[in-house]
Amino acid sequence: MSGMPRVSVIVVSHGRPALLLRCLQSLRYQYFENFEIVVVADRAGAAAIRASRFRAYVKLSQFEDQNISQARNLGLACAAGELVAFIDDDAAAEPTWLGHLVAAFEEPGVGSATGFVLGRNGISFQWKARTISARAEHADILVPENRTTFHAPPNEGGAVKVEGTNCAFRRAALDRIGGFDSAIRFYLDESDISLRLAASGYATAVVPMAQVHHGFAASARRTWNRAPRSLFEIGASLAVFLGKHGNAHLIAERVSAERYGQRVRLLRHMQLGTLTPGDVPRLLRSFDQGVAAGRGRTSVVEKIPSARDFRRCPTIAKPGGTKLLAGYRWQKRRLLRKSIAVASDGTVVTVFLASLFPFRHKVQFLAEGVWLHSGGLMGRSRRDRSSPRCLKPLRRLEWENARLRGIRDLLPAKAED
């Protein structure tokens, strides 16, 4: 382990203890070994950790407020790594995630790194690479999807944006600019950090091979189907962000544009039946109230002292790739029982359950440490690509293996019927 940087992985959790434990389980199967886990969780999450195997090595800080920036600062205060990484409690990391992120910091000018984020089906991407402007406007950028690229701060302002559920920072860079702005309690918190790092001259690495699966689970701010419960903190954080980074005469225009975008979003939910007509004006009022509150908030950024004790997480993943199991859907019980037994000794297991029907594919990480792929033998794995013509599970698994090369280090010779 000599020469490996020490990394602190920070997870903030509120109201999702079961998902938190699943996220931590995915970290136990990381191939990169020299890291610790810091969890900042509410009462339910803290209780779940204390009652689990993770209590022995997780650094735990209990925090009840729904202020993700302040929670992240608490995590930084517990962290002892030269690098700090963040992942959400409703996400699961691929086994190569941390190793790919850490490798980006071999370039001395890099202050932050971010990877690709997969959505609920484990196939489609929520986010790849984006920029953020001082007006809080996002724009997609095209990058090669098989290698890391490095992006110097643009001369005209703005920055390459790190994704909060899949990012890492050089601790010295955060010490230089201060921690997260606790006035930005939710939404644009990582965008603010991205702009401040760029203004200090740090480059950002985009690492497509560093991938996490993000479920967008229900929370106090949204339902399971992503319908918002309140827009207050979105409005408030937007007002704080624009007050820090935007030109004063453009703030009203940008707030108006954001409000329009939120209205379109709400109407789309209403059409889908996930919101009622009465919800739309109520939620827009909460946005307006949030903007008014945010204009009265004072930005709070301060240097966060780091911890001295580094508590390495005892990862159980065995190097050299994963065990592959393949079969039909009616064999699910037997295959899962076998895969869970194999995973218990640290082997990363991928199971492919095939259907004879052309169902689209989905991928999920199970709390027992198993990656479950399911779908039709000729179903699509990528929505933007045609599906292969396979008639046997093993042939389809070989195709999936090629698709995931470098992400999960699959070994095609290990596939079994």
Side-chain angles (χ1 to χ4, degrees), residues 25-36:
Q25 182 78 323
S26 76
L27 296 178
R28 293 188 77 214
Y29 286 90
Q30 291 296 300
Y31 293 136
F32 183 85
E33 297 180 357
N34 201 25
F35 72 96
E36 65 177 2

Side-chain angles (χ1 to χ4, degrees), residues 193-410:
I193 283 280
S194 297
L195 286 178
R196 287 159 51 206
L197 284 172
S200 296
Y202 290 100
T204 299
V206 176
V207 191
M209 305 293 278
Q211 295 187 7
V212 302
H213 297 245
H214 184 222
F216 266 128
S219 69
R221 297 187 179 93
R222 63 173 180 252
T223 63
W224 68 270
N225 51 21
R226 299 179 63 180
R229 302 181 195 272
S230 172
L231 297 177
F232 182 89
E233 284 302 337
I234 288 180
S237 293
L238 176 65
V240 175
F241 182 93
L242 292 174
K244 289 180 65 175
H245 300 290
N247 296 320
H249 68 282
L250 295 176
I251 291 177
E253 172 195 333
R254 183 66 188 93
V255 167
S256 178
E258 179 68 23
R259 190 183 193 276
Y260 176 79
Q262 292 293 338
R263 182 175 181 272
V264 171
R265 173 192 175 199
L266 298 177
L267 291 175
R268 188 177 300 118
H269 274 289
M270 190 183 73
Q271 291 173 337
L272 293 172
T274 52
L275 288 175
T276 68
D279 289 329
V280 175
R282 174 183 62 81
L283 289 167
L284 288 175
R285 282 195 300 271
S286 73
F287 176 84
D288 296 336
Q289 292 163 355
V291 169
R295 284 173 173 159
R297 288 182 187 173
T298 301
S299 177
V300 181
V301 175
E302 53 191 359
K303 183 177 179 179
I304 310 298
S306 58
R308 294 184 178 181
D309 61 310
F310 182 79
R311 192 181 305 174
R312 192 177 74 83
C313 173
T315 55
I316 64 174
K318 294 180 178 179
T322 73
K323 180 82 169 180
L324 304 183
L325 302 174
Y328 293 100
R329 292 178 67 183
W330 57 82
Q331 299 171 305
K332 178 177 180 179
R333 183 174 298 180
R334 179 182 65 83
L335 285 170
L336 286 183
R337 186 166 56 246
K338 181 177 180 180
S339 64
I340 291 169
V342 172
S344 64
D345 71 353
T347 301
V348 178
V349 181
T350 297
V351 178
F352 174 56
L353 293 178
S355 169
L356 298 177
F357 298 97
F359 295 140
R360 289 182 173 182
H361 281 235
K362 63 179 181 180
V363 179
Q364 60 186 132
F365 179 74
L366 305 182
E368 295 83 3
V370 175
W371 290 94
L372 178 62
H373 292 237
S374 58
L377 285 174
M378 291 183 282
R380 287 190 177 185
S381 284
R382 286 283 297 271
R383 307 300 187 247
D384 57 344
R385 297 179 185 176
S386 60
S387 58
R389 301 191 64 82
C390 301
L391 297 179
K392 293 184 178 181
L394 281 179
R395 291 294 301 277
R396 180 57 194 250
L397 192 57
E398 290 173 0
W399 191 87
E400 292 293 311
N401 179 17
R403 184 178 68 85
L404 292 171
R405 188 72 44 79
I407 303 295
R408 204 175 304 154
D409 282 359
L410 303 185

Side-chain angles (χ1 to χ4, degrees), residues 78-153:
C78 297
E82 298 101 60
L83 304 176
V84 291
F86 290 89
I87 184 172
D88 286 354
D89 61 353
D90 59 347
E94 289 279 1
T96 55
W97 168 67
L98 197 54
H100 283 307
L101 274 185
V102 169
F105 290 92
E106 294 174 4
E107 291 289 327
V110 171
S112 60
T114 188
F116 281 13
V117 180
L118 290 150
R120 187 177 291 171
N121 62 14
I123 298 292
S124 304
F125 288 103
Q126 286 177 358
W127 303 297
K128 291 184 178 179
R130 301 190 289 173
T131 58
I132 183 69
S133 73
R135 289 167 51 90
E137 294 173 324
H138 298 84
D140 293 334
I141 56 175
L142 292 176
V143 296
E145 296 193 10
N146 59 353
R147 61 181 176 86
T148 298
T149 54
F150 302 92
H151 304 262

